[in-house]
Structures are given as structure tokens and as C-alpha cells.
Amino acid sequence: MNPGQAIVGRDGEREKLSAFLAAPQGQALVLRGETGVGKSALLDHAAALAAPAHDVIRAAGVEAESELPYAGLHQLLHPLLPHLSGLDDGHRAAFDVAFGLRAGGTPSVMSLGIAVLDLLSLASSGGPLLLLLDDGQWLDASSIEVCGFVGRRLAGSAVKMLIAVRSDVGSRFDTAALPELTLPPLPDEAAGRLLDLRHPGLSPRTRRLVLEHAMGNALALVELPPYVEAAGFGTVPLSRRLQHVYGLRIERLAAPVREELLRGALDGVGAGQAGNRSPGRRYRMRDTGEAMAAGLLDTDPATGELVFRHPLVRSTVVQLSTPNQRRAAHADLARLHEGEVERHARHLAASRVDPDEEVAATLEAAAESATRRGGAVAAVAWLTRAAELSETPADRSRRLGDAAFIAGHAALLDQAQRLVRSDPAPGPAESPATAIAAAYVALYEDGDVRSAHHRVAAAIEHLGDDGPEVLTRLVDLLLAISQYAGDAGSWHRTEELLRALGDRVHPRSAVYRDAWSDVVRHGGGVDERVERAFADVSALEPWDVSRLAVAAYHVDTLSRYRPHLQRAVDREVETGAVANGMTMLHLIMLDQLAAGEWDDAERTGRRALELNTAHGNVLFAHHTRAYLGLLAAVRGRLERARELQAVVDAWARPRGVGFLTQLADAIGTAAALSEGDYEAAYLHAIGITPPGSFEPYVHQAARTLLDLVESAVHTGRLEQAHRHSLAALDAGLPGISPRLALITYGAAAMTTGDEKEAADLYARAEAAPGAAGFPFELARIRLARGVRLRHTQGPRAARPLLVLAAESFDRLGAAGWAERAQAELRASGAPAGATPSHLTELTWQERRIAELAAGGLTNKEIGERMRLSPRTVSSHLYRVFPKLGITSRAALRDALGKLPG
């Protein structure tokens, strides 16, 4: 058949599809329209047009699988999986984990999307490829995110992707930012032609009624004529009218045939030309000739298997069945899928009414599988159903508590509260689950650290025989609340409770306690403990990954674990533990800020703020504003910084959220330093901690060491500056973190009166392991050293250091600091905008890669930090070596050290 011969009134759409297929570049296109408007027919048309030159792969979303993570992606890519052998081990592993074939941390949308792009590139190496996806609105959220990522990056490939979605059903394709072609209803003339073509000889009255009721909908024009006069549709929506039409046909079928259709519908048998392309076992309908004759089923021409004629047929079959019929069908399907954890559990749960511990345990296992694969929302639903099927009150309470706990992490606070309210605790004390859910609401929605702390502490004190997992949840939440409170009273109470618990405290919780409470006094060895805990990241729950990363932030080793966060954050934000994803975004932003990737940090912060606001997480929204304010301050955007500082401080201070009030003071300090107002900077800094000591339980006390010392030196408070730097050395801060080593030695160098000692301390600062990973602090120390050298040894000695500092500040976008460094350069006799001759030979990217490589990072780790492939990193280093006059990676540190400064 000539392509398009059976399509009426879609000339413009067919022309656009022809242009889409003929385009030399790969691209994606979304066809959007109401049910029955003709999307599937246009997909058939595209397939026929493409067939001579393209390999065509078809798939279809299935509502029954919309909660199974990556089920849609598995179906779409299944015909291409033989090409996996041509991918590297990392990309094959990403597919294996996403599709549940092996254990491990679920890859991020980006890493899995890149793996899909590589797979498509391999599959299209022998000729162009067309991916057709019908009913895209029923794809699971994880698959849609990956499809959107891939669809936005097909330029330059030989792959086209055409996706049909219903306009009356919302989906994540609505925000996927892919080009769209909207299919309106057929115009009157075309509707009349189609009706006359398919139903010639209608009476004028029947023809008019059909056209009125169909309103240009192609499927309605084909299906309504035999029923329109008797139906009395009135103002019933079109989809309901079509369901009524199909319902009449279904009701006339024999009972065994209807049972076959029901089993097929509940197991997600496809509809239309995409049919049964989904991988894995599906129920194969048999003895359904009567349904074929009634126009309810078709045969998939590619597989020969039976499929529903239209998705509305499938949904109508389910709607017309009784609860007992659906339960019996689900029981049959559960047996069919015995070896598939999540699919088996879904059918098994739907087949039961009365409590059944075996089924409840199966659902619990499926929930755990879904959580680890980024499906926290599905896990909440399965745990809730497991609670309903539990045979004992204790198991019911435990499972409802688990569901509420995951709901809290998924930012479903209302649902978490409903779950715990459905399980009131006996006696006067509230249940642990109730305490956790109530504390989540108090903390996240209003920042009420006092009541949240009191409630969780009381739950720990009154905890009965609830098991170690419940205790650990309570302890970890109490530690998080204490961290936000940021005051000695809360922490003393928390530590007292943990001491009483003794060895019942989980080792990871002990890490959180030491890192989150007071890194000056308890931070020694945290770095190694975090590293050991991350050794088997696949065994960690998503929230433990982020908590350990928070601990890494406090000891300034977050860069090692950023790849874990970047792999997980998209999954958690879209389909998993959303609140956990918000924390991951905070951590990614903090590491970007520390590494000098300030534009990226700004984008991450804005994304986090949008997410916080959308989910009503007021605490996290102000937390994000604080980090954005700090970033604005170091960049010299002072009006914006002080605006955010005022907003955060006004919200946090009355509530006693000390973590945020300290950040507000840090914003004030950084803003004052940016504009050279050292007096104001000093006053802000001593509001965090007094000179000569580090206030207990104040997380910003050590972080602002350099700020306090530098502002004290510039305001003539040399005694206070010297006392503070000595306190840092006495506290052993260099042994706690690489950043603290850098700023402690730098601060000590600024405050000593002995020139030789100053030179030694500056050299120790620059040689500190990982110093290059903190370019802003390093540039400040180089600037201070250059200024000192100009005064003690003359302009010539100072100039190389001042040039390095100026170049770093300019590259970072630290406007105030760059101006100060340029002023010092001019005072040293250098022309404005001077740069060291060696550095002009290295681009910024080459310089950054060289510094990271000198710090011991592998090409893969550098690539993850800078979003480059390991091969690209290798190419950059290949160009860097001759520029530096070296031949090996081992010589990088010395070569970089010989550059001016």
C-alpha cells in the first residue's frame, strides 16, 4: 500500500513527517493529540515511509507497567540489546543495573542516557534507525527521563525518535523540551471524507449525528456509526463514548473469551502496531476468534501475536470486569511471572483480599528492589499494600512505618502523615513512625528544630522492642535535626542519648555524629571512615549515600564522592527519594563551589531552589538560598548576596536554625571581604566564633578561619589574628581535611613576623595535598603572599604570585578579588591584565586538568569532575606535557610548581 493512502486530511502532518525522516541529522519529535485523533496511524505512515532506508523499532507504553522503573526503556531497546557486546564494561553495567540484571547503584539519567546514545550509535552504524514509541504517556518516569535526555542529543547521529502521546493524559514528556507536532481534530471536510470512505451509504441524519459526536476524531468516525442513534451520548466525553462502543462488543463475548482479554489487559499486552514488542513474558491470549471478529483485537504483523486494537479496548476490558474476575486474572498472572520480583509481586498483591504474610513479604522484597533502582514512589505503594496484607499488628505497623519513612524521603509528607495516622500506637506514647513523620513535617515545612528534636528524642527514650532499623532511623533523624539546630544544647542532649545507647548505635550513625557535630573536636579520622563506608556503595540506601556525602563535605573530601551523587541525583529527583535528591543537589553545588566551577554551582543551586519550592520544603529552600548567597558574595554580586542573607537570617534566627544563621553570617563576611570592607568582615566573622577559639558545634567556625584571620590582619588586630592561627594549629586542623590544611598554613603564614617562617608556611600551604582543588582559597593565599613579598623583597619577587592570583580570581569570576589583585600588580609595576608567560600556553581547561592530575586523580575521576570523557582528558594531558617540558604524569606537580609563583 502506498504510504498515506488510507490517511485522510493529514497532508500537512505527512509533509512534516517526510521532512523529519529526510533530515540529514538525527532528531526527536513528539506527536501530541487526543485519544483516537490518528497518532498511531501517522506512526504507521512514518514506519512505511522509513522502511526502505531505516531499521524501524516500535514500542508502546503500557499503563500496567507505568510504575515499573525502566520497563519502557527495556521494551524500546530490547531489539538492540545484542549490540551491548560492543560497549565498554561501564556502559554494559549501567544497562544491567537499570534493568535489574545485577546489583549496584542505579546509574543517573546522564550516565544511562550516554550509554543509550552509544548503543544507538552502534546499532545505526550500518544504516539509519527509526524508533517509534506509541502511548508514550504510559511509560514509567525513569524511562521518560532517559528518552528525553537521548532525544535532545540525537543531532549528528543517524537515529530518529518519534513519540506519540495523549494530550489528555499528563506525563513527563510534557516537560521533556522535545520538538512537538500537535494533531488537531480533522477539519469538517476531511472528517466527512473519512466517514464516507469507511461507512458509505449512511442516512443524512446518521451521518450528521456521527460528525457532531465525533468532532473530527478519526477513531470515533470509524467506530461510532453503528451505535450513534441508540447510544444517547449527550455531553459524555468522547473517550467515554468510544468505551461505551467497545463495551457493547465486549459484553457480547463468551465468558472464556472475556477472561482471556482480561488476563491480556492486566498483563500489559500491547495495543496497535507496536503490539507485543515489550521484552519478557506476556500473557498470550488464545481462542479469541470471537474478539477478532468483533474488531477488538488485531495481529501484530511483526510477531504474529494478538494485540488490542486500541488502548481504549484494553482499558474498557478492565473496567467491565468485576473485582473477583480481576483477582482471579491477577492470580494467574502472578504464577506466570514467578521469577520476576516486581511484576510477580504486583500481580500477587492484586489477587488477594485477606491478609497473607507470604504475599506481604513478597511485596516488601519488591519495594526494596524498587527503592534501590530509584522507584521510591512505587516502593511506598507496595509497602502500603504489604501492610494491608500483613497478618499481625506488629508486621502491619512495621510496614506502614517503612512506607512512611520512604514517603518522607520522597517529599510525600502528607502521605507519610496519613500512613502513620492509619496506625495509631497503643498507650500514651506515639509510635516511632509517627514521631518520624511529624518531625519531618516540623523540620522541612517550618524549620521547627526545637519541637522536632524534642519529639524524636522522646521517641528514642521510649523505644520498645522495635528493632535496630527503627532505632537507626530515629538516631539519624535526631542527628540531622541537631545539625540544623547547630547549638550546644541540642547536641549535648543528642550525645547523651547516644552514649546511653552504647553499641546499639550503627557505625554509620557514629560517623554522622562526629562529622556533623563538631569537626574541630571529632573530625580526626572521619575521612577514612567515610571512605570505608563508601567502599561498597551498591549496598547503601540512597539516603545513606547522601548522609555519608554530607560527612565528606565537613572534612572537605566531597569531590571524591561527587560522581556517586551525580549518578543518583536525577533518578532520586524524578522517581525516587526527592528530599534525598535535594540534599544531593546541595552537595553537588558545594563541591562545584569549592572546585571553582561557579557557573555550574549557580545552575545547580537554581535547580535545587525550584525543586525545594515545588515540593514545599521551606527549610531546604532557605538552605539553598544561603548557598546561593554565599556564591553571590564571593563573586562580588553584593546586592544579591545581602538580599539573600537578609531573607535567610530573618527566617532562620527566630526559629533557632543555627546552621543557617551561621551561613548568613558567612555570607556577610564574604561580601564584606569582596568589597574590601575588612572591619565589617571581622565583625561578621567574630559573630561566628571568637578569635583564638573555635566555638563548639558551630560548623562555620573552622570554615571561616581564613576570613577571620585575614580581616583581623587588615584591621590591625594582629594579636587576635596570630592567636586564631595558633588555635587552628593547636587543634590539629591540618590533619582533619585538605582544605583546613591549606587555610591553616596560609593563615599562620599571614600572622607570623618571621619572614623565613612565613615562606615555609606559605610553601606548606601550596604543597598541601589537594590544595589545587580549592582554587579560591589558594588564590587568596597567593595574593597575601605576593603583597607581603612586594613589601619585603620588592615588586619583581611579588609579580609572579600576583599574576597567578589575578588570573585565578578572573577565571573564577571573583570580581572584587580580581580588582584587588590587579591593583597590587599595578603597584608592582606590571602592566594591567598581565599573565604569566607559561600560563598563556595552557588553556584554563588544560591548566585545571593538569592540576587535578597532579593531585593524583585518574583520567576517569577527572572526567567525572569536569564532565569530559576519559579519552578527552587523556588528549588534553598529551598536549599539556610538551608545553610543560615533561614526558610523564609523575612530573606534573614539579612542572606546575615551577610556573611563576
Side-chain angles (χ1 to χ4, degrees):
M1 183 179 70
N2 184 33
Q5 187 174 14
I7 298 180
V8 175
R10 294 294 183 194
D11 295 346
E13 288 84 354
R14 282 184 288 162
E15 286 179 11
K16 290 177 181 177
L17 286 180
S18 296
F20 169 78
L21 293 170
Q25 293 285 328
Q27 54 186 299
L29 181 65
V30 174
L31 293 178
R32 187 179 296 279
E34 66 178 4
T35 302
V37 78
K39 302 183 295 297
S40 298
L42 283 174
L43 290 186
D44 295 343
H45 171 73
L49 278 179
H54 292 70
D55 286 332
V56 180
I57 293 177
R58 300 194 67 151
V62 180
E63 189 173 5
E65 295 186 353
S66 60
E67 290 185 353
L68 296 176
Y70 297 114
L73 187 66
H74 191 212
Q75 181 195 158
L76 182 62
L77 298 181
H78 192 260
L80 305 180
L81 295 185
H83 292 282
L84 285 179
S85 59
L87 300 180
D88 62 36
D89 291 344
H91 285 166
R92 286 201 302 274
F95 284 115
D96 287 348
V97 172
F99 296 156
L101 300 178
R102 73 161 77 168
T106 304
S108 68
V109 170
M110 177 177 287
S111 58
L112 186 55
I114 291 171
V116 172
L117 286 168
D118 280 0
L119 177 64
L120 294 178
S121 177
L122 272 178
S124 61
S125 59
L129 183 66
L130 174 62
L131 304 177
L132 297 178
L133 177 60
D134 206 352
D135 275 326
Q137 73 280 349
W138 296 132
L139 248 64
D140 59 280
S142 302
S143 296
I144 293 177
E145 291 302 317
V146 175
C147 287
F149 178 93
V150 169
R152 294 187 292 271
R153 291 164 175 81
L154 290 176
S157 74
V159 181
K160 304 285 199 318
M161 182 186 293
L162 189 57
I163 304 163
V165 300
R166 283 168 52 175
S167 56
D168 54 333
V169 177
S171 79
R172 293 185 188 273
F173 278 121
D174 299 344
T175 55
L178 296 176
E180 293 195 358
L181 175 59
T182 300
L183 270 62
L186 290 169
D188 291 346
E189 184 273 333
R193 278 195 291 125
L194 177 60
L195 180 60
D196 293 341
L197 179 67
R198 299 300 295 268
H199 295 280
L202 292 176
S203 70
R205 180 176 182 277
T206 300
R207 186 176 185 276
R208 177 178 57 79
L209 285 172
V210 170
L211 290 172
E212 286 179 2
H213 284 295
M215 297 182 291
N217 184 282
L219 183 63
L221 290 164
V222 172
E223 300 289 357
L224 288 180
Y227 308 92
V228 69
E229 292 190 343
F233 290 130
T235 59
V236 176
L238 180 61
S239 60
R240 291 279 299 280
R241 300 177 213 173
L242 291 172
Q243 285 177 334
H244 178 76
V245 168
Y246 291 136
L248 291 174
R249 301 184 201 175
I250 293 166
E251 287 172 342
R252 293 172 184 151
L253 299 175
V257 178
R258 291 181 61 176
E259 290 170 5
E260 283 292 299
L261 298 187
L262 180 58
R263 284 187 282 268
L266 292 176
D267 205 32
V269 167
Q273 289 293 311
N276 283 348
R277 308 295 169 82
S278 51
R281 287 188 297 169
R282 285 290 184 283
Y283 188 78
R284 300 186 67 175
M285 297 179 288
R286 297 173 177 82
D287 301 323
T288 53
E290 191 180 347
M292 289 282 290
L296 298 169
L297 299 179
D298 279 330
T299 302
D300 184 336
T303 65
E305 294 186 11
L306 294 175
V307 296
F308 291 100
R309 182 175 178 186
H310 191 274
L312 283 176
V313 177
R314 186 171 55 204
S315 61
T316 305
V317 167
V318 177
Q319 289 172 7
L320 290 177
S321 63
T322 67
N324 284 338
Q325 289 170 337
R326 289 194 292 274
R327 281 192 287 273
H330 278 298
D332 292 339
L333 295 170
R335 287 188 287 272
L336 175 68
H337 297 296
E338 193 93 38
E340 303 172 67
V341 173
E342 294 176 27
R343 197 182 300 276
H344 172 67
R346 184 175 67 83
H347 286 304
L348 199 59
S351 71
R352 300 294 194 273
V353 175
D354 296 325
D356 188 317
E357 182 56 31
E358 182 180 350
V359 175
T362 301
L363 276 170
E364 200 168 9
E368 182 177 355
S369 170
T371 300
R372 292 185 184 276
R373 296 205 299 126
V377 176
V380 172
W382 285 338
L383 283 168
T384 304
R385 180 65 177 137
E388 293 169 355
L389 294 173
S390 298
E391 293 182 351
T392 68
D395 284 333
R396 180 178 185 275
S397 295
R398 176 175 58 80
R399 286 164 178 148
L400 283 174
D402 290 348
F405 176 75
I406 297 174
H409 280 282
L412 303 171
L413 298 183
D414 289 344
Q415 186 171 354
Q417 286 192 302
R418 285 196 300 274
L419 286 165
V420 297
R421 280 198 294 265
S422 69
D423 183 43
E430 65 183 1
S431 71
T434 301
I436 290 171
Y440 278 150
V441 173
L443 182 65
Y444 293 142
E445 293 189 351
D446 194 43
D448 189 351
V449 291
R450 299 182 183 95
S451 72
H453 191 279
H454 174 77
R455 202 159 192 166
V456 176
I460 292 174
E461 286 181 320
H462 295 99
L463 190 64
D465 201 11
D466 291 85
E469 188 173 7
V470 173
L471 174 61
T472 298
R473 288 176 185 172
L474 288 166
V475 167
D476 290 349
L477 180 54
L478 187 67
L479 290 167
I481 296 166
S482 302
Q483 179 179 222
Y484 271 111
D487 68 272
S490 297
W491 274 114
H492 286 156
R493 178 79 176 109
T494 299
E495 290 175 336
E496 179 186 331
L497 279 171
L498 267 59
R499 279 194 297 271
L501 291 171
D503 59 7
R504 294 171 65 196
V505 175
H506 194 283
R508 281 196 299 270
S509 301
V511 173
Y512 309 151
R513 175 197 60 206
D514 293 343
W516 300 356
S517 62
D518 189 341
V519 76
V520 174
R521 291 159 181 84
H522 307 302
V526 165
D527 176 13
E528 293 81 3
R529 292 158 69 193
V530 170
E531 189 172 23
R532 285 196 297 273
F534 263 113
D536 186 10
V537 71
S538 63
L540 298 172
E541 297 287 1
W543 33 87
D544 285 318
V545 171
S546 60
R547 288 169 182 157
L548 285 167
V550 172
Y553 157 72
H554 282 289
V555 292
D556 301 304
T557 57
L558 186 53
S559 61
R560 297 179 198 168
Y561 310 108
R562 197 208 296 186
H564 294 303
L565 303 175
Q566 289 176 319
R567 282 194 292 270
V569 67
D570 292 336
R571 174 198 72 194
E572 299 300 341
V573 165
E574 299 301 337
T575 63
V578 178
N580 196 53
M582 296 176 193
T583 298
M584 289 180 172
L585 287 173
H586 282 165
L587 292 163
I588 291 168
M589 180 189 181
L590 283 170
D591 194 53
Q592 290 166 335
L593 205 162
E597 301 160 14
W598 289 359
D599 288 340
D600 288 342
E602 180 83 28
R603 285 189 287 270
T604 302
R606 292 189 181 280
R607 179 188 177 192
L609 187 57
E610 289 175 6
L611 188 67
N612 307 151
T613 305
H615 286 276
N617 195 316
V618 182
L619 175 70
F620 279 1
H622 283 89
H623 195 160
T624 306
R625 291 185 183 101
Y627 290 147
L628 287 168
L630 196 59
L631 177 58
V634 295
R635 300 187 92 163
R637 299 171 182 176
L638 304 182
E639 185 177 349
R640 175 64 174 155
R642 287 175 174 138
E643 174 190 332
L644 289 167
Q645 177 193 10
V647 169
V648 172
D649 195 74
W651 183 84
R653 205 166 292 277
R655 291 169 170 80
V657 187
F659 191 92
L660 297 189
T661 59
Q662 293 166 39
L663 278 171
D665 286 333
I667 295 169
T669 307
L673 285 170
S674 283
E675 63 180 342
D677 186 348
Y678 295 107
E679 182 65 27
Y682 181 77
L683 294 176
H684 277 295
I686 64 173
I688 296 171
T689 191
S693 68
F694 296 93
E695 193 73 14
Y697 307 108
V698 173
H699 85 284
Q700 282 292 320
R703 305 196 77 79
T704 53
L705 162 64
L706 193 62
D707 299 339
L708 194 155
V709 168
E710 197 165 2
S711 59
V713 168
H714 280 277
T715 56
R717 297 178 172 93
L718 300 182
E719 190 275 329
Q720 289 93 328
H722 186 61
R723 185 153 41 92
H724 204 55
S725 66
L726 284 178
L729 288 168
D730 291 343
L733 296 194
I736 292 174
S737 87
R739 180 180 177 275
L740 288 178
L742 170 66
I743 65 174
T744 298
Y745 294 133
M750 292 179 192
T751 61
T752 182
D754 184 286
E755 293 307 318
K756 183 178 184 306
E757 184 184 12
D760 289 343
L761 287 166
Y762 276 125
R764 289 186 73 180
E766 294 206 39
F774 306 95
F776 180 57
E777 290 84 348
L778 183 58
R780 287 172 61 180
I781 290 168
R782 284 172 170 167
L783 175 61
R785 186 182 184 188
V787 172
R788 184 167 186 154
L789 285 175
R790 184 170 68 82
H791 289 290
T792 59
Q793 297 183 28
R796 185 179 182 83
R799 210 170 292 145
L801 276 166
L802 295 174
V803 169
L804 273 176
E807 190 269 346
S808 292
F809 290 135
D810 187 60
R811 185 177 66 238
L812 289 167
W817 289 93
E819 290 172 11
R820 199 168 311 141
Q822 285 293 339
E824 290 292 339
L825 266 175
R826 289 191 294 273
S828 73
T835 58
S837 59
H838 285 78
L839 284 181
T840 59
E841 298 179 13
L842 295 183
T843 66
W844 150 238
Q845 194 170 54
E846 288 170 344
R847 171 79 180 189
R848 180 74 176 130
I849 288 171
E851 289 174 340
L852 293 173
L857 271 67
T858 65
N859 287 1
K860 182 179 180 182
E861 290 167 337
I862 295 169
E864 289 170 338
R865 286 283 295 272
M866 300 191 68
R867 297 187 179 180
L868 300 172
S869 72
R871 184 175 297 174
T872 302
V873 173
S874 178
S875 298
H876 279 296
L877 288 173
Y878 182 81
R879 291 191 293 270
V880 165
F881 287 177
K883 290 183 179 183
L884 295 178
I886 61 175
T887 58
S888 72
R889 197 183 195 100
L892 271 173
R893 180 181 290 276
D894 288 340
L896 290 171
K898 291 175 183 176
L899 295 178

